[in-house]
Amino acid sequence: MKHLITTADLTKKEILKLFEDAELFDDLKSSNLLEGKLIVTLFFENSTRTRSSFEIAAKRLGAQVVNLEVNTSSTKKGETVEDTVANLDAMKPDAIIIRHSDCGLPESLKSYVSCPILNAGDGKNAHPTQALLDLYTIYKHYNGKVKGKNIAIVGDIANSRVASSNLELLPRFGLNPILVSPKKFKVKTKFKSTTNLKKVLNKVDIIMSLRVQHERHDRAILPEKLEVQKKEYSKKYCITKKLLKNQKDIILMHPGPVNRNIDVSDDMIEDKRSKILEQVTNGVAIRMACLKKLLVD
Ligand code: CP
């Protein structure tokens, strides 16, 4: 059985086929491709984009969707995630979409189910559909000519599942990542990395800004200290119109949620070089293509 746990589960050929399907789904409002199928979503972490776009994708293809509200589920009475998933699987859904803070959990759940699992994000480990929609957005912008493009991934690299999935995926299509972050968010990597954003601006075609994942940091800090840290961070890493005044062809991406004026300035969010909402739009088509692949093909 097929699952989508990380981007490494897909070959390059399979990804290109997903993009072909996504293009067909771009303007498709409804279809009966998944008629009679039932999909369960199970989000142990908050989500706006991923959860709603999976649901919209499933419904546009004619599937029914059951969202288990974790806060009112029996996990609050001590049931393990494994038991929760096994019990949901016993009701014979056609797929389970899960987000959880534990790295590796979706992989370990494979043995508890008889339907495909789609990973909607596991801790800082992987967010495969996000990386696929990111690459799809880049791919569309450059009409498929993405080989050799340089992309600065800016922010909390160490704690970002978006970064880790993109670092697996983008180089397979010939993109060159440059990691830009304060020292404390650096990872050991084979890719170029720097703390100096300004230095790389004229070398990159794409900037992917990332949120600082405070919820994944080990130590809680006082709110007033956090505000100081955010200010310091934004001075060096916030993507502003002023910063990009000479980069007229650059494109700006962000997976969301954006911390305005910390990750990206208000004026840059509105700028025509920003792909942020286009990424969200593409997320529906990509997730439709992923559901088709796992439930139909
Ligand atoms: N990009 C992303 O995963 O957003 P959500 O957390 O809102 O799903």
Side-chain angles (χ1 to χ4, degrees):
M1 193 205 321
K2 288 174 286 189
H3 301 277
L4 179 54
I5 308 296
T6 73
T7 47
D9 290 332
L10 298 166
T11 64
K12 210 172 151 181
K13 195 174 160 194
E14 287 175 311
I15 291 165
L16 290 172
K17 176 71 174 92
L18 283 181
F19 289 1
E20 251 178 51
D21 286 344
E23 235 178 308
L24 297 175
F25 292 145
D26 269 342
D27 297 314
L28 187 73
K29 286 279 180 342
S30 71
S31 133
N32 57 5
L33 192 69
L34 296 186
E35 200 174 81
K37 307 274 187 201
L38 191 137
I39 295 166
V40 175
T41 72
L42 187 54
F43 277 65
F44 289 88
E45 277 189 343
N46 294 345
S47 172
T48 296
R49 283 144 289 268
T50 312
R51 179 173 152 174
S52 52
S53 69
F54 261 124
E55 183 166 350
I56 289 168
K59 287 182 170 170
R60 287 224 164 118
L61 293 176
Q64 294 189 64
V65 180
V66 171
N67 296 303
L68 182 72
E69 292 304 333
V70 169
N71 285 331
T72 52
S73 77
S74 289
T75 54
K76 294 290 170 198
K77 300 182 206 164
E79 186 171 64
T80 66
V81 184
E82 289 79 4
D83 282 342
T84 299
V85 168
N87 277 269
L88 289 171
D89 185 67
M91 299 179 214
K92 303 191 190 322
D94 296 285
I96 296 175
I97 298 167
I98 184 163
R99 168 174 285 189
H100 200 281
S101 58
D102 285 0
C103 297
L105 183 80
E107 174 69 29
S108 71
L109 291 173
K110 281 178 178 178
S111 58
Y112 292 84
V113 297
S114 48
C115 68
I117 290 181
L118 290 97
N119 180 8
D122 59 328
K124 60 183 180 184
N125 186 48
H127 193 348
T129 55
Q130 179 67 45
L132 289 167
L133 77 87
D134 291 339
L135 178 59
Y136 181 56
T137 304
I138 297 168
Y139 206 79
K140 281 193 0 174
H141 181 79
Y142 292 110
N143 292 318
K145 296 183 179 66
V146 299
K147 199 170 169 200
K149 298 291 178 199
N150 297 319
I151 176 165
I153 303 182
V154 182
D156 187 357
I157 312 286
N159 294 291
S160 170
R161 55 190 171 216
V162 178
S164 64
S165 284
N166 271 298
L167 289 174
E168 193 289 321
L169 183 66
L170 302 183
R172 283 206 270 153
F173 287 79
L175 286 112
N176 308 311
I178 302 172
L179 309 186
V180 184
S181 70
K183 268 194 187 127
K184 63 181 175 183
F185 298 148
K186 273 187 159 195
V187 286
K188 264 197 177 161
T189 178
K190 61 182 176 187
F191 301 109
K192 281 182 204 159
S193 72
T194 178
T195 55
N196 192 331
L197 174 60
K198 283 186 182 158
K199 256 192 179 170
V200 302
L201 284 181
N202 60 3
K203 298 189 181 90
V204 299
D205 306 285
I206 307 154
I207 292 178
M208 181 182 287
S209 169
L210 301 172
R211 183 174 67 90
V212 176
Q213 307 273 173
H214 296 287
E215 73 279 17
R216 293 196 192 122
H217 297 167
D218 291 338
R219 279 185 309 123
I221 68 169
L222 294 169
E224 52 275 28
K225 210 171 163 198
L226 187 61
E227 284 315 304
V228 174
Q229 281 190 8
K230 284 180 183 174
K231 231 178 213 162
E232 287 306 307
Y233 175 87
S234 68
K235 272 188 214 159
K236 290 186 177 164
Y237 299 103
C238 185
I239 313 298
T240 63
K241 219 165 160 169
K242 191 174 164 203
L243 186 75
L244 299 186
K245 64 179 187 297
N246 298 322
Q247 275 70 36
K248 70 177 177 50
D249 293 327
I250 209 163
I251 59 170
L252 171 69
M253 305 176 69
H254 192 301
V258 178
N259 282 160
R260 280 178 175 257
N261 302 311
I262 297 170
D263 315 336
V264 182
S265 64
D266 288 335
D267 61 1
M268 199 55 219
I269 290 174
E270 310 302 330
D271 192 274
K272 65 177 176 14
R273 292 168 290 179
S274 166
K275 294 277 174 186
I276 298 172
L277 288 180
E278 201 178 312
Q279 287 172 266
V280 177
T281 302
N282 289 337
V284 176
I286 279 293
R287 291 182 174 110
M288 288 164 89
C290 290
L291 291 172
K292 173 180 175 281
K293 177 165 180 56
L294 269 63
L295 277 70
V296 179
D297 289 352

